[in-house]
Amino acid sequence: MVYTGLLQQVMRLGFEWNTNDMSVMLLAKLARPLIGTARIVINNLYIKGDLRLLPILDGQAVLYSFESTPEVRIGVAFGSGGSQSLPATELPGVSSWLVKVFTDTLVRMMVEPRRGCYSLPTVDLRKKAVGGVLSVTVVSASKLGRNNGFSRETSTSSGNIMENGGNKILQTFIEVELGDLTRRTSISQGSSPKWNATFNMVLHGESGILKFNLYEWDPSSVKYNYLTSCEIKMKYVLDDTTTFWAIGPNFSVLAKQAEYCGKEVEMIVPFEETNVGELTVKLVLKEWQYSDDSTSLNKASSRTQNSVYNSQHIQLKTGRKLKVTVAEGRSLMAKDKSGRCDPYVKVQYGKLMHKTKTLSHTTNPVWNHRFDFDEIGGGECLMIKCYNADIFGDENIGSARVNLDGLVEGSCKDVWIPLEKVNSGELRLLIEALNNEDFEVSRTIVSQSGSGWVELVLIEARDLIAADLRGTSDPYVRVQYGNTKKRTKVVHKTLNPQWNQILEFPDTGKQLVLHVKDHNALLPTSSIGDCVVEYEWLPPNQTADKWIPLQGVKSGEIHVKVTRKVPELQKNTSLDTDISKTLSKANKISGQVRELLKKLHGLIEDGDYENLSLALSEVENIEDGQVEYMLQLEKEKTLLLDKIGELGREISRTSSTPSKMPY
């Protein structure tokens, strides 16, 4: 045991770890000209260094760190990453690159003066924290300079903030980071600025690092000047307390403990990279959420509310339905000089993705748009992404992950979710879990309404994977509904095809599956994704407009509209108009067949076999059109028979009613 100058007890240990009993596989994307993927397998790891152990909080925890950068060696092997992967011998320098990445991570996390924390709780409640909500108040800074006016001289060796004799008034703000979530204070003047800005931050996991970046704002400059930063680490302890620690003056330790959620902790943390300056912050851990769906009790408040923030992974369906309403937003990021924003929200849960309508010229939108999902157990999260619609490409203005575990059936959660990766913005969500009985009632009503059909509109797709060597695909969609199969036309040389085709199927309750394929004139077609269109819970004659992520591939979505049509509930239409449309469609199909026969005859005479294959695919499309036409005839027949039946009943009712004789 040795003692530092600050009377802190320290123990030093030699650390050496060498293991061959490991296998970590990384999938690496290769840049041009080496297009493809490669599997990098880490099969050996060696770390050697001197550890420094420092007890804190009266022995309730121990801080640990390497005294200097440790020696790191990594053993690497290569495996096959598919047909486009490169052989192992053509990937030089990977081992040294991995060593650098691993070493840099250790330096940022646990090389002196940065330290990790190992807790020694007096009681083990056997709870695993999976997320939390933290209130952060950036109070003030002090000692930024002896005078109010100073400028910054940047040195690559020290990075110190130096004072000069100018009269320029310092204007600064703090940017708070917690993972991908960032928030920014207002601008304050002077060497002892005061902000008193409070933010709600979302923590994913049982630990996190709060980083406070100090920036100088110069009205004459188009960019902000980074000055310095400091950080506070936090961790959940198994006795239901929370530990906060930071680097103190002269690399000493600042450590505090919150015995329960709701207790305020104040810390004065010196800025790093400078010899002067410190930041005062107040922290309140509002709640911890646990893996068993429970939440910690906030003893500082009589009101508790379940957290809905953290996420895990997909598991099995629970048999319940979730109603998620994107109600409104506030303080969203404006993306142009006028301060305007045209926001919309994408909501993804499991395999399903829905989108709200786009609202114009507002940073405080009100959507009140509701979406329904099958609940998935095991901690599946709700992914929220907010966009600003723009003619030159939509811009992401924030995202969030929402944990839906612990929802009580029949209760509705009303929560404001802060958006991550942006400086401001929150979304209000209403989340409710319901038993499937309500949806079964709706389904029964549809099935008893009479014979109907499913109308599927295949609109477009985007971000499909490239199936051809030239970096494009020739996509079409094969639709399978029970034993019935139909397909769209082929759109050549694109990853963002547009089909705009309507397919119809008798409503028998079968699963509706879409297979997106790449057409090939010579070789067998290859799959570039598939998905299931869920339509069973749609009310009669209501349309669902949705983007559905494709499964089994790394990217790709398909845009569809699906409607459950019920004839008895259709609006009365002119029978003459329906017959006219049917005859027009019949003439169109006949004309297409005649033109295609001429085209085939010409291609055979010219020996153009490549275009002949494409023409044959057009034959399949026309065949599908004929099937649709026959289905349309059946539909018209049903409507006509219904009208004849109604007319017969009306005649019978009129003839059976005795006429009144005048007196």
Side-chain angles (χ1 to χ4, degrees):
M1 295 286 184
V2 297
Y3 292 87
T4 67
L6 296 176
L7 299 179
Q8 291 177 322
Q9 196 173 31
V10 178
M11 182 172 69
R12 292 180 173 85
L13 294 175
F15 178 87
E16 185 173 7
W17 184 44
N18 188 8
T19 177
N20 296 311
D21 186 19
M22 67 181 304
S23 180
V24 179
M25 186 177 70
L26 307 175
L27 290 178
K29 287 187 177 180
L30 305 180
R32 293 182 180 273
L34 306 177
I35 301 175
T37 60
R39 293 184 182 180
I40 304 173
V41 180
I42 301 176
N43 54 24
N44 175 267
L45 181 60
Y46 176 82
I47 304 175
K48 182 179 180 181
D50 293 322
L51 281 177
R52 186 174 185 267
L53 307 180
L54 178 63
I56 60 171
L57 301 174
D58 298 327
Q60 297 182 59
V62 175
L63 298 185
Y64 57 89
S65 60
F66 285 102
E67 289 197 329
S68 58
T69 304
E71 178 186 355
V72 176
R73 294 198 300 267
I74 296 177
V76 176
F78 303 108
S80 172
S83 60
Q84 294 182 335
S85 296
L86 294 179
T89 56
E90 298 186 19
L91 291 172
V94 172
S95 179
S96 59
W97 168 71
L98 287 173
V99 168
K100 183 179 185 306
V101 171
F102 194 84
T103 303
D104 290 346
T105 303
L106 282 177
V107 170
R108 290 195 304 268
M109 299 298 296
M110 53 175 294
V111 172
E112 193 64 27
R114 302 189 184 276
R115 301 135 182 159
C117 181
Y118 180 76
S119 302
L120 302 170
T122 55
V123 178
D124 187 351
L125 299 180
R126 301 185 181 277
K127 290 186 176 182
K128 178 177 176 56
V130 295
V133 182
L134 178 69
S135 174
V136 180
T137 301
V138 182
V139 181
S140 61
S142 60
K143 303 179 183 178
L144 296 184
R146 292 185 179 86
N147 301 315
N148 284 340
F150 75 90
S151 65
R152 184 172 67 98
E153 296 180 3
T154 303
S155 171
T156 56
S157 60
S158 63
N160 289 343
I161 300 176
M162 305 296 293
E163 179 184 347
N164 67 13
N167 295 321
K168 183 179 178 182
I169 298 178
L170 180 67
Q171 301 186 72
T172 55
F173 65 88
I174 294 288
E175 184 181 69
V176 186
E177 293 183 12
L178 181 58
D180 292 330
L181 183 58
T182 61
R183 288 294 180 266
R184 182 180 297 175
T185 69
S186 59
I187 296 172
S188 184
Q189 296 183 349
S191 60
S192 297
K194 295 182 180 180
W195 297 284
N196 289 313
T198 301
F199 310 105
N200 285 328
M201 311 294 285
V202 178
L203 178 67
H204 301 296
E206 64 176 3
S207 61
I209 301 177
L210 273 169
K211 190 167 184 179
F212 302 90
N213 300 307
L214 178 66
Y215 288 88
E216 178 187 9
W217 180 69
D218 186 352
S220 62
S221 176
V222 296
K223 67 176 184 178
Y224 303 123
N225 296 322
Y226 169 79
L227 299 179
T228 182
S229 64
C230 60
E231 65 181 38
I232 298 174
K233 295 183 178 180
M234 56 179 294
K235 181 180 179 181
Y236 173 75
V237 185
L238 292 176
D239 59 3
D240 215 21
T241 62
T242 305
T243 300
F244 300 90
W245 71 98
I247 302 172
N250 300 320
F251 302 138
S252 61
V253 176
L254 294 174
K256 291 199 175 183
Q257 185 180 56
E259 290 81 5
Y260 52 85
C261 287
K263 180 179 179 180
E264 183 180 87
V265 171
E266 181 175 324
M267 301 184 73
I268 302 176
V269 184
F271 285 111
E272 303 174 26
E273 308 165 358
T274 63
N275 296 323
V276 293
E278 57 188 18
L279 180 70
T280 300
V281 298
K282 294 180 180 179
L283 309 173
V284 179
L285 201 290
K286 290 187 172 181
E287 67 178 28
W288 284 110
Q289 184 185 5
Y290 307 112
S291 58
D292 62 356
D293 303 339
S294 62
T295 57
S296 57
L297 179 64
N298 187 338
K299 297 181 180 179
S301 173
S302 60
R303 179 185 176 186
T304 60
Q305 186 177 12
N306 288 333
S307 177
V308 292
Y309 296 106
N310 193 56
S311 65
Q312 299 294 321
H313 301 287
I314 295 177
Q315 295 292 333
L316 300 177
K317 294 182 179 180
T318 64
R320 299 195 305 180
K321 286 284 184 178
L322 295 179
K323 293 198 304 182
V324 179
T325 302
V326 182
E328 57 184 312
R330 63 187 178 195
S331 304
L332 300 183
M333 290 285 292
K335 284 295 184 177
D336 56 23
K337 295 181 180 179
S338 64
R340 298 187 308 178
C341 183
D342 300 327
Y344 67 88
V345 176
K346 288 185 178 180
V347 182
Q348 181 174 354
Y349 184 66
K351 298 179 181 180
L352 296 181
M353 178 180 289
H354 296 299
K355 173 185 172 183
T356 69
K357 60 185 177 182
T358 302
L359 300 180
S360 301
H361 310 329
T362 178
T363 56
N364 298 287
V366 178
W367 291 286
N368 288 320
H369 202 145
R370 197 192 96 178
F371 307 109
D372 296 329
F373 301 94
D374 289 310
E375 187 182 41
I376 301 172
E380 172 68 7
C381 65
L382 189 72
M383 305 298 295
I384 307 292
K385 291 185 179 180
C386 191
Y387 292 89
N388 173 48
D390 190 90
I391 58 174
F392 299 108
D394 296 350
E395 300 172 280
N396 191 326
I397 54 174
S399 59
R401 293 181 293 172
V402 182
N403 187 12
L404 302 178
D405 284 344
L407 289 174
V408 179
E409 191 170 301
S411 65
C412 183
K413 291 187 177 300
D414 187 342
V415 291
W416 282 94
I417 308 294
L419 295 175
E420 302 178 10
K421 300 182 181 180
V422 289
N423 294 324
S424 67
E426 293 179 285
L427 294 179
R428 182 186 172 207
L429 302 181
L430 306 176
I431 305 171
E432 184 177 5
L434 294 175
N435 192 285
N436 264 339
E437 291 181 358
D438 294 337
F439 291 87
E440 288 290 347
V441 171
S442 174
R443 184 178 183 181
T444 302
I445 292 173
V446 172
S447 62
Q448 293 177 351
S449 298
S451 60
W453 64 96
V454 177
E455 180 185 86
L456 176 67
V457 184
L458 293 158
I459 303 173
E460 58 185 323
R462 64 187 177 195
D463 299 329
L464 299 180
I465 63 171
D468 301 334
L469 295 177
R470 61 180 180 267
T472 62
S473 294
D474 302 321
Y476 69 93
V477 182
R478 174 74 71 179
V479 183
Q480 183 168 354
Y481 184 77
N483 295 325
T484 304
K485 295 181 180 179
K486 298 184 180 183
R487 56 172 288 175
T488 67
K489 62 185 178 182
V490 178
V491 182
H492 295 281
K493 299 181 181 180
T494 180
L495 302 181
N496 300 284
Q498 292 186 350
W499 296 287
N500 293 311
Q501 286 188 239
I502 300 176
L503 304 178
E504 294 180 335
F505 305 88
D507 189 357
T508 58
K510 302 293 184 181
Q511 189 179 50
L512 187 58
V513 185
L514 308 184
H515 300 277
V516 184
K517 295 182 176 293
D518 172 63
H519 175 78
N520 197 305
L522 301 176
L523 300 176
T525 59
S526 58
S527 174
I528 52 178
D530 56 76
C531 65
V532 176
V533 180
E534 304 214 9
Y535 68 94
E536 294 88 345
W537 313 111
L538 279 175
N541 301 313
Q542 288 194 16
T543 300
D545 185 339
K546 59 180 71 177
W547 281 92
I548 306 176
L550 296 176
Q551 304 303 307
V553 288
K554 294 181 179 179
S555 66
E557 295 177 287
I558 188 167
H559 185 194
V560 303
K561 290 183 180 180
V562 60
T563 309
R564 299 192 73 177
K565 300 277 186 159
V566 179
E568 286 78 3
L569 300 179
Q570 295 292 314
K571 293 181 180 180
N572 292 328
T573 58
S574 171
L575 186 59
D576 294 336
T577 302
D578 292 339
I579 294 175
S580 175
K581 290 181 179 179
T582 303
L583 292 175
S584 175
K585 189 171 184 179
N587 293 330
K588 181 179 179 181
I589 293 176
S590 299
Q592 288 176 339
V593 171
R594 287 193 298 270
E595 292 297 325
L596 187 56
L597 288 175
K598 293 179 182 179
K599 183 177 181 181
L600 288 172
H601 183 71
L603 292 174
I604 293 173
E605 288 183 347
D606 297 338
D608 190 351
Y609 298 110
E610 181 176 355
N611 288 326
L612 180 61
S613 175
L614 298 178
L616 290 175
S617 68
E618 293 182 29
V619 172
E620 296 182 14
N621 291 335
I622 292 179
E623 181 183 359
D624 291 339
Q626 288 177 322
V627 174
E628 295 176 26
Y629 171 62
M630 297 302 296
L631 183 61
Q632 180 69 20
L633 289 179
E634 289 293 329
K635 183 178 69 173
E636 300 297 342
K637 175 183 175 182
T638 301
L639 291 174
L640 183 59
L641 291 176
D642 288 343
K643 290 181 180 294
I644 293 174
E646 291 178 4
L647 181 59
R649 288 190 293 271
E650 182 66 26
I651 293 174
S652 175
R653 185 168 56 254
T654 304
S655 61
S656 61
T657 302
S659 58
K660 296 182 180 180
M661 299 297 295
Y663 289 99

